[in-house]
Amino acid sequence: MSAEPATQRRRFTGPQGFLLAGSFLITLGSFAVLPYVSVLLHQRLGLGLGTVGFVLAVASLIQFAGGVVAGPVAARIGLRRSMLLALALRTAGFGAFVPGLTSPVLAIGALLLVSAGAALYLPANKAYLVAGSPDEDRPRLLSASSSAFNAGMALGPPAAAPLVLGSPGVLFTCVAGLFALVGVGHAFLPRDGARPVTVPDRPTSADGPRSGLSPFLVTVVSVYAFMFFQHYLALYAVPRTSAGFYGVVLMGYAALLVVAQPLLAEWIAALSYPAALRWGFGAMAAGMAAIAGGGHVGIA
């Protein structure tokens, strides 16, 4: 009986394992700060809610739409260099929040630096993570990456809660230090991941997209709709339940993503593109219908 190849026995390579751990730490640090930025800008620095909303909108635009620019930049300067530059921007941004505690200009500049760093990091991180991996391994890698990000999102806000109002300078200093340490680790990664692989051309069929335009447009519309609904869900849910109940639901939501995505990765990968859309958007439509009913069960 022939032994199973080492590449199949090994779940993740060393660089992949480091990136997954780094993704958790990066998101943990980010979400220890970012959910409370509106409190900092409004309550501590005295900016009006309209101004705060505009600043957060610009920061979100940079972070999510900036990938259009970040992708070509990463392709030009290399994946590892892009991640290092992104982490340097985010370290500087979180560090700038410390003097920004007394200066709206510095605080806003710090937020924009952090957002620019996030926009540059994510495309390079995803590309590096799957570089050299066969197609059948990529859903597992990407789902594990998503789980790491969601775990950090779930744990970041409660971890920072004791410090965010009483000692925000300590919080920002710790987060900047965390990003600096993660950045040092990235400097020891191989230059651009594993050896490149040649991806064969796939035939066009009725079961898949005919070009990259359709998935891109669907992603744009779905992320816009999801973020629009997510930002305002608390205003709907908390009065109908309670802040504590809503917090538990959000943590359960993040935990479900952490656990379920890796378990379902192979099943999802086997779906055709239209089937994946039907399952995904069908489930979200059913969930929105349940939320519309209000009450603890419907919102949960």
Side-chain angles (χ1 to χ4, degrees):
M1 184 186 302
S2 60
E4 186 181 12
T7 54
Q8 293 182 8
R9 294 197 305 268
R10 192 173 184 179
R11 185 167 181 79
F12 299 117
T13 66
Q16 287 169 344
F18 173 80
L19 281 184
L20 293 174
S23 295
F24 168 74
L25 293 175
I26 286 170
T27 315
L28 178 74
S30 297
F31 278 79
V33 171
L34 297 180
Y36 302 108
V37 167
S38 59
V39 177
L40 167 69
L41 296 176
H42 179 58
Q43 294 186 3
R44 189 180 184 99
L45 298 177
L47 297 182
L49 287 176
T51 303
V52 172
F54 177 77
V55 169
L56 294 178
V58 172
S60 296
L61 180 65
I62 292 173
Q63 179 171 340
F64 292 106
V68 176
V69 176
V73 169
R76 183 173 182 83
I77 70 175
L79 301 178
R80 187 184 65 171
R81 287 181 179 177
S82 295
M83 290 190 290
L84 288 172
L85 175 58
L87 290 171
L89 289 174
R90 302 195 80 182
T91 301
F94 286 117
F97 271 117
V98 177
L101 292 171
T102 57
S103 169
V105 174
L106 284 177
I108 293 171
L111 178 61
L112 297 182
L113 273 178
V114 169
S115 300
L120 182 60
Y121 183 82
L122 287 174
N125 172 273
K126 299 295 187 185
Y128 192 105
L129 185 66
V130 301
S133 299
D135 285 351
E136 58 269 22
D137 287 347
R138 295 185 177 192
R140 176 176 55 86
L141 287 167
L142 292 174
S143 64
S145 175
S146 180
S147 292
F149 275 105
N150 281 295
M153 289 172 61
L155 297 177
L163 294 174
V164 69
L165 293 179
S167 304
V170 174
L171 173 62
F172 293 132
T173 300
C174 290
V175 171
L178 175 64
F179 271 82
L181 288 174
V182 173
V184 170
H186 278 66
F188 291 96
L189 289 172
R191 177 166 295 181
D192 272 340
R195 58 180 178 81
V197 295
T198 301
V199 180
D201 293 333
R202 296 181 179 180
T204 300
S205 70
D207 291 332
R210 297 184 181 276
S211 71
L213 182 61
S214 175
F216 177 79
L217 292 178
V218 168
T219 301
V220 169
V221 174
S222 60
V223 170
Y224 171 79
F226 181 77
M227 294 301 292
F228 182 86
F229 131 82
Q230 187 182 54
H231 280 308
Y232 294 100
L233 181 58
L235 297 176
Y236 173 84
V238 171
R240 290 167 172 78
T241 55
S242 68
F245 178 83
Y246 183 62
V248 170
V249 169
L250 289 184
M251 291 198 67
Y253 162 80
L256 182 61
L257 289 175
V258 170
V259 174
Q261 283 188 329
L263 294 177
L264 297 176
E266 292 186 5
W267 176 77
I268 295 170
L271 293 174
S272 67
Y273 180 70
L277 292 185
R278 286 194 295 269
W279 276 98
F281 284 100
M284 292 186 72
M288 291 299 294
I291 290 173
H296 291 73
V297 174
I299 290 173

